[in-house]
Amino acid sequence: MPEKIGDWYAYSGAIHIHTTESDGTKTLQEVVDIGRRAGLEYMMFSDHMTLSNRDNGLEGYYGDTPVVIGYEHNDRNDHHHYLLFESPGVYPDRMSAREFVAAGAADNALGILAHPDEIRTALAEHPAYPWTDWSMDGFVGIELWNQMSEWMERLTRYNKLLMSVSPRRSMQGPTDRILRKWDELNMSRKVVGLAGVDAHAFPIKVGPFTVEIFPYKVHFRCLRSHLLLPTKMSPDFDQAKLQIYDAIRECRLFFSNMRWGAADNFEFHAESDSHRVTCGGSLLSAEGVRLLIQLPSRATIKLVHNGKYILIVDADRLEFRDVQPGLYRVEAWKGDRGWIFSNHIRIAV
Ligand SMILES: [Zn+2]
Ligand SMILES: [Zn+2]
């Protein structure tokens, strides 16, 4: 069941999931079963360069869980991985990143830059797949935090065992570099930030053993993206899908690492005497506005204004009254581990 937060229903789900149709290790039906048992309230699949699951009619409700199917495009150098939902088909693989981002925008598809900040160099057998061309527009969002990327990026020959024993705990958070880039892009237009699980559940060699580091069920209890809907998810699948896409496009979203506690009832609001908005919302004037932040439990709250940290405080609740025009967002940390990250609220901009 979705959590009701103020005027909003929060749905927690998983974005960026692979199946046996590309390099995942289970079929869509098997993965959906695992996801539903883990309590996912929506699921978004994206196999590499194929929409076969969608073509086979597998999109739809599974019980009360809507399952949406897009795909992950990449250029010929295997850079510029891009999640596309609602594209009419798979775009030609000869396209440059500029071209497939433009094609997606022209088709009104929902495009998300996948793991743009990969830089890992520690292990030659696991190269990075970063986003390097930032000259184009037309994408809807950025996967600020990618479970597999971060995990692989920090993997070395020496910490493999430790990181394999506690994969969720080893997640730190989006890099400063990508957060700065995201804040900067949002100064000119809305760009949603979200978390992708990039679930494959593939085996990795640790010494003499082969271990499945992130079985799907562990993935689904780690990074979650929470959608904020003005009404409950429709029982009609096409309607529900539009509600999911709207929330993403409008940045009505926050994301979390569930390892540090379920974040379903996290709150971030801006309030004037007459209006109240949440992530993705805007208020026309800063006068008399207060920001309200409520966490499920005590953590380090970091308030960000126009890309700068303006307040860092340990609390489970914060009311902030010195509101200036600009963009505000919130991070919550448990020690040096990222827990909850909101999208922006716009004040008088
Ligand atoms: Zn990828
Ligand atoms: Zn992927």
Side-chain angles (χ1 to χ4, degrees):
M1 284 298 284
E3 193 81 27
K4 180 97 197 270
I5 305 163
D7 307 328
W8 306 91
Y9 295 92
Y11 286 83
S12 112
I15 300 174
H16 194 163
I17 309 165
H18 293 272
T19 74
T20 43
E21 295 303 296
S22 63
D23 56 354
T25 51
K26 290 198 183 322
T27 65
L28 182 131
Q29 180 67 64
E30 290 170 328
V31 179
V32 168
D33 288 345
I34 297 167
R36 297 193 59 214
R37 279 202 297 276
L40 295 179
E41 291 166 320
Y42 71 95
M43 298 174 78
M44 295 175 75
F45 284 82
S46 52
D47 273 308
H48 296 283
M49 298 304 278
T50 175
L51 279 163
S52 50
N53 280 325
R54 191 178 84 181
D55 296 341
N56 291 329
L58 295 183
E59 261 198 348
Y61 262 112
Y62 291 72
D64 52 6
T65 310
V67 169
V68 171
I69 302 170
Y71 81 100
E72 181 170 8
H73 200 103
N74 57 267
D75 68 18
R76 284 195 153 172
N77 301 320
D78 207 5
H79 284 182
H80 298 108
H81 287 211
Y82 194 50
L83 309 182
L84 274 157
F85 294 91
E86 294 303 292
S87 65
V90 174
Y91 295 121
D93 62 3
R94 59 170 190 281
M95 280 182 164
S96 68
R98 238 187 132 69
E99 288 168 333
F100 61 69
V101 170
D107 289 326
N108 204 26
L110 187 139
I112 295 160
L113 314 191
H115 48 77
D117 206 27
E118 278 192 349
I119 49 167
R120 59 175 175 260
T121 50
L123 298 176
E125 66 272 32
H126 302 298
Y129 308 103
W131 194 277
T132 51
D133 181 358
W134 288 90
S135 67
M136 75 286 281
D137 210 341
F139 51 89
V140 168
I142 305 181
E143 188 183 67
L144 296 174
W145 201 1
N146 176 298
Q147 207 155 293
M148 269 326 278
S149 290
E150 192 196 299
W151 191 85
M152 300 280 278
E153 195 157 315
R154 299 189 36 249
L155 193 64
T156 64
R157 260 165 237 303
Y158 312 104
N159 65 10
K160 255 186 178 180
L161 184 60
L162 186 65
M163 285 186 56
S164 307
V165 174
S166 51
R168 299 192 302 158
R169 205 186 169 83
S170 64
M171 292 288 117
Q172 275 182 334
T175 63
D176 278 342
R177 200 171 41 236
I178 199 68
L179 288 171
R180 293 295 84 74
K181 183 81 196 166
W182 176 52
D183 285 330
E184 186 190 309
L185 287 165
N186 270 279
M187 298 302 276
S188 47
R189 70 174 179 97
K190 272 189 179 179
V191 176
V192 69
L194 47 78
V197 294
D198 212 355
H200 298 81
F202 45 57
I204 287 186
K205 272 188 90 67
V206 179
F209 308 106
T210 299
V211 254
E212 194 185 357
I213 303 302
F214 264 124
Y216 285 98
K217 94 169 175 244
V218 176
H219 261 303
F220 295 152
R221 299 183 60 75
C222 189
L223 299 196
R224 294 218 174 165
S225 291
H226 307 255
L227 307 177
L228 297 164
L229 307 187
T231 55
K232 279 193 178 168
M233 198 91 80
S234 168
D236 176 82
F237 178 68
D238 289 331
Q239 287 300 322
K241 197 156 71 161
L242 287 178
Q243 288 174 290
I244 293 172
Y245 293 150
D246 272 357
I248 294 175
R249 283 183 192 278
E250 292 298 314
C251 306
R252 273 186 274 109
L253 189 153
F254 60 90
F255 53 94
S256 68
N257 182 359
M258 199 176 176
R259 170 64 181 79
W260 308 113
D264 304 81
N265 54 3
F266 164 73
E267 276 191 57
F268 177 37
H269 286 119
E271 217 175 58
S272 68
D273 289 339
S274 51
H275 291 89
R276 183 179 162 90
V277 295
T278 186
C279 303
S282 37
L283 292 175
L284 292 177
S285 156
E287 215 177 295
V289 171
R290 55 211 172 264
L291 301 178
L292 302 167
I293 297 150
Q294 178 80 52
L295 300 181
S297 68
R298 194 178 174 87
T300 304
I301 299 175
K302 301 185 183 181
L303 184 61
V304 182
H305 178 238
N306 291 342
K308 296 200 170 58
Y309 293 102
I310 55 160
L311 186 66
I312 298 179
V313 57
D314 282 333
D316 59 1
R317 189 187 149 77
L318 177 68
E319 188 170 331
F320 181 76
R321 289 179 173 269
D322 183 23
V323 174
Q324 306 297 319
L327 274 60
Y328 286 92
R329 64 175 180 84
V330 175
E331 301 173 2
W333 291 72
K334 291 278 190 184
D336 62 353
R337 298 293 193 251
W339 180 26
I340 304 173
F341 296 80
S342 81
N343 271 262
H344 302 88
I345 291 181
R346 293 170 147 72
I347 309 290
V349 287

